[in-house]
Amino acid sequence: MNDMMYDDLAIEHIAKEQFGVALDIDQVIVRKIPVSRTATATVCLTKKKQLYAFVSAQSKQSLGDVKKIMSRMGLRVELYVPPKGQPDYFDDIGRAHVKAVFPGKMTITPADLVYYRTLAPYNPALVQVREIENGEIKQFDTDAHGQWRVAAKFAYRRIKTS
């Protein structure tokens, strides 16, 4: 029980310090489920009824890796939260990669950045979830068919208000 409370406090602290998001965890849906061979994810609901996924890995992890993990977990994403104080973090990293690959290119369009922003390092990752597909959160399992199995059933869909 105490370990769970400490985990929740640690996630709240990391969200505040590294991402500038004040998470006030109300309910943890799944805690530290495997989502790859080296990464784990915790999905939690805040007191404002917003769903967040926190993904951390023991090895390097990029935005592209996190996107693939979210898709395979059955989570549709509202926002990949950038590091605190860097709202254009993914675009800045993408621009640097484009300039390294195409040094003579003067104008870089958002279409040029689509792939290169996925190369940005993103460990740990904090993701705001828009919807859970089919009401099932999946976890990585090497023994399961397709290597993914249902970890928890939870219905969630964020409805935007003005």
Side-chain angles (χ1 to χ4, degrees), residues 76-88:
R76 291 201 178 136
V77 175
E78 178 80 23
L79 173 69
Y80 294 96
V81 181
K84 181 179 181 180
Q86 300 177 27
D88 297 326

Side-chain angles (χ1 to χ4, degrees), residues 136-155:
E136 297 177 341
I137 299 173
K138 297 180 181 171
Q139 74 178 40
F140 181 73
D141 185 359
T142 55
D143 295 333
H145 179 69
Q147 295 190 336
W148 288 85
R149 67 176 173 87
V150 176
K153 292 185 181 276
F154 187 77

Side-chain angles (χ1 to χ4, degrees), residues 30-43:
V30 291
R31 186 184 308 275
K32 289 189 176 181
I33 59 170
V35 291
S36 75
R37 295 192 188 280
T38 62
T40 60
T42 299
V43 179

Side-chain angles (χ1 to χ4, degrees), residues 29-30 43-45 51-53 70-71 73-77 129-138 150 152-158:
I29 312 305
V30 291
V43 179
C44 56
L45 193 64
L51 194 68
Y52 282 92
M70 292 295 111
S71 173
M73 284 180 72
L75 304 178
R76 291 201 178 136
V77 175
V129 178
R130 180 182 60 204
E131 178 184 350
I132 298 175
E133 295 175 17
N134 303 323
E136 297 177 341
I137 299 173
K138 297 180 181 171
V150 176
K153 292 185 181 276
F154 187 77
Y156 179 83
R157 178 175 289 155
R158 183 165 182 226

Side-chain angles (χ1 to χ4, degrees), residues 60-122:
K60 291 181 180 180
Q61 176 175 275
S62 68
L63 176 62
D65 297 332
V66 175
K67 283 185 174 187
K68 189 179 284 185
I69 287 169
M70 292 295 111
S71 173
R72 292 190 176 157
M73 284 180 72
L75 304 178
R76 291 201 178 136
V77 175
E78 178 80 23
L79 173 69
Y80 294 96
V81 181
K84 181 179 181 180
Q86 300 177 27
D88 297 326
Y89 171 74
F90 302 117
D91 289 339
D92 292 345
I93 299 288
R95 251 185 226 93
H97 280 289
V98 169
K99 286 182 181 178
V101 174
F102 305 106
K105 190 168 180 112
M106 294 300 176
T107 57
I108 299 172
T109 64
D112 297 333
L113 296 176
V114 169
Y115 168 71
Y116 292 100
R117 78 171 47 119
T118 64
L119 302 176
Y122 197 36

